[in-house]
Amino acid sequence: EGGKGDILMYFRDIIGLQDVKTHLIHSVRQGLVPHARVFYGPEGVGKLPLAIAYARYLNCSNRGEEDSCGECPSCHKFDKLAHPDLHFVFPVVKSKVSDQYLPEWRKFLLEHRYFTLNDWLAFIDAQNAQGIIYSKESDEIIRKLNLKVYEAPYKIMIVWLPEKMHDACANKLLKLIEEPPEHTVFLLVSESRENVLQTIWSRCQPLHIRAIEKGEMVMALQNEFGLNAEKASSTAHIANGSFTKAMEIMRASEH
């Protein structure tokens, strides 16, 4: 199950959502890989881990029926989120670009599979700054996507929270999504559909990620936190399909 320091975001590591996983796997196996997808839905349901698992599957050289192989060179690089064809864009502070926070981002994802924007901002000690994807990020995106595909079938750009994107960045991204370099896949992960530029939205294939099923949530709470059935059930009920909410409830009840 991977060594220490591995970021386990395979399909199997994501709670529930079996129908979505099946849909993603089947689409890849049929050769249907849209060049831009947007995973959207409520906070805390596993959209980013799902996008990473899908990216991993796209570049796995020995794809299984239900998941990536975990053994090929691509999978080993994904375990460290250090694949040369995997790029991230996410909200940052201090007018920086995502790459300047990449070591923190990897460390953060190693420790958190389910999290909120506030969790990330606290991790980088943003104080009260709003997380933003600044306009200069667009130059970085263009630069990276113009590199030749390094070694994988696909070059993948994961944009976490495109709704936090400065307009100038969004407009440049729009041009790229309209005419991406070949073998490039954009995966946008959004929690606020109405705040993503409509022009970007309309060029992506939308995939709604709904709340986690209650039964799956109960099982996860029992397995990961050793809750008894009753406590797991009441926690899942209040969390209403959001794993980050469930973790908050548990932290609150410890005090």
Side-chain angles (χ1 to χ4, degrees):
E1 263 295 290
K4 187 167 163 34
D6 285 354
I7 295 164
L8 294 177
M9 292 194 189
Y10 290 81
F11 285 121
R12 62 175 173 268
D13 296 309
I14 297 152
I15 302 162
L17 310 177
Q18 201 48 55
D19 52 341
V20 180
K21 296 175 191 176
T22 304
H23 165 73
L24 287 169
I25 287 168
H26 283 179
S27 66
V28 175
R29 294 180 83 86
Q30 291 163 345
L32 302 170
V33 180
H35 68 257
R37 275 187 186 275
V38 56
F39 293 70
Y40 72 101
E43 188 180 81
V45 297
K47 297 180 300 299
L48 183 70
L50 200 60
I52 293 173
Y54 174 63
R56 176 195 283 276
Y57 194 75
L58 280 174
N59 279 340
C60 174
S61 51
N62 189 17
R63 298 179 191 131
E65 304 260 316
E66 293 183 0
D67 218 329
S68 304
C69 73
E71 299 298 324
C72 69
S74 173
C75 277
H76 284 310
K77 292 184 178 121
F78 264 85
D79 287 341
K80 307 266 183 267
L81 286 192
H83 194 297
D85 295 309
L86 174 69
H87 304 285
F88 286 97
V89 170
F90 43 82
V92 294
V93 293
K94 301 186 179 129
S95 300
K96 292 191 168 179
V97 291
S98 303
D99 267 13
Q100 293 172 288
Y101 283 100
L102 206 51
E104 290 93 332
W105 179 245
R106 288 190 180 124
K107 188 169 186 299
F108 181 70
L109 292 184
L110 181 62
E111 296 167 14
H112 304 76
R113 201 179 302 152
Y114 290 82
F115 55 85
T116 65
L117 177 58
N118 285 340
D119 294 334
W120 162 241
L121 293 174
F123 188 82
I124 56 171
D125 192 24
Q127 256 98 57
N128 290 322
Q130 298 289 312
I132 295 175
I133 297 172
Y134 294 95
S135 58
K136 62 179 171 188
E137 189 81 56
S138 56
D139 299 327
E140 286 294 296
I141 297 172
I142 291 166
R143 183 181 64 74
K144 288 172 186 166
L145 294 185
N146 284 332
L147 298 168
K148 292 277 169 272
V149 173
Y150 199 81
E151 56 185 45
Y154 297 98
K155 184 180 298 176
I156 298 168
M157 176 66 72
I158 296 180
V159 182
W160 182 51
L161 306 181
E163 55 267 29
K164 298 292 178 193
M165 202 176 262
H166 190 280
D167 283 353
C169 182
N171 287 321
K172 279 197 182 161
L173 191 65
L174 180 61
K175 291 191 185 72
L176 273 174
I177 290 177
E178 275 190 324
E179 292 176 27
E182 55 177 356
H183 311 301
T184 297
V185 174
F186 280 96
L187 302 178
L188 278 52
V189 177
S190 170
E191 281 164 10
S192 174
R193 162 177 194 162
E194 56 284 356
N195 290 321
V196 178
L197 270 187
Q198 189 50 42
T199 42
I200 287 186
W201 188 273
S202 61
R203 285 164 180 79
C204 296
Q205 192 171 87
L207 184 61
H208 181 245
I209 313 299
R210 50 175 169 66
I212 299 166
E213 308 83 346
K214 187 172 176 197
E216 295 275 4
M217 174 87 84
V218 169
M219 255 170 36
L221 290 170
Q222 288 177 298
N223 294 342
E224 292 198 27
F225 299 102
L227 297 191
N228 63 35
E230 190 187 353
K231 185 87 166 78
S233 179
S234 66
T235 304
H237 179 72
I238 306 166
N240 199 13
S242 163
F243 202 67
T244 49
K245 188 91 199 301
M247 293 192 298
E248 273 169 37
I249 295 162
M250 284 168 35
R251 277 199 293 269
S253 69
E254 282 166 11
H255 300 311

